[in-house]
Amino acid sequence: MLQLRPNCECCDRDLPTDSPDVLICSFECTFCRDCAEQRLSGRCPNCGGELLQRPRRPAAKLLNAPASTTRVHAALPCTSA
C-alpha cells in the first residue's frame, strides 16, 4: 500500500492526500509538481526513475488506511539524477 507521504522531499511543501500535483517514483520518493518539473526534469534524484502522478486514495479509505505523517526531506540540494 502506498505511504502517501505528507511533503515534497525537495522543498518540504505540504502535499495533501487529494492533490493532483504530487509525483512519485516506483520507490515512493515524493515531490511536488513544481520541483518535479522545474528542478528534476521528471526524474527522481534518488533512483533516476520516472516521476508520475501519485494516485489519490478515496477519502472513505483514508479512515482505515491513513496517509503517512513521517516527513522525508533531502539533506542535500535537490537536483536531477
Side-chain angles (χ1 to χ4, degrees), residues 20-42:
D21 294 323
V22 180
L23 287 89
I24 62 172
C25 73
S26 64
F27 292 99
E28 295 188 59
C29 300
T30 304
F31 304 94
C32 68
R33 186 171 299 279
D34 289 341
C35 287
E37 292 176 353
Q38 296 173 13
R39 299 169 95 177
L40 304 174
S41 302

Side-chain angles (χ1 to χ4, degrees), residues 17-77:
T17 57
D18 61 348
S19 175
D21 294 323
V22 180
L23 287 89
I24 62 172
C25 73
S26 64
F27 292 99
E28 295 188 59
C29 300
T30 304
F31 304 94
C32 68
R33 186 171 299 279
D34 289 341
C35 287
E37 292 176 353
Q38 296 173 13
R39 299 169 95 177
L40 304 174
S41 302
R43 292 280 167 204
C44 177
N46 303 317
C47 69
E50 181 180 23
L51 294 173
L52 300 171
Q53 184 175 338
R54 178 176 74 185
R56 292 181 297 272
R57 190 169 297 155
K61 299 294 183 185
L62 284 169
L63 296 173
N64 291 325
S68 173
T69 57
T70 303
R71 298 180 79 83
V72 177
H73 189 55
L76 300 173

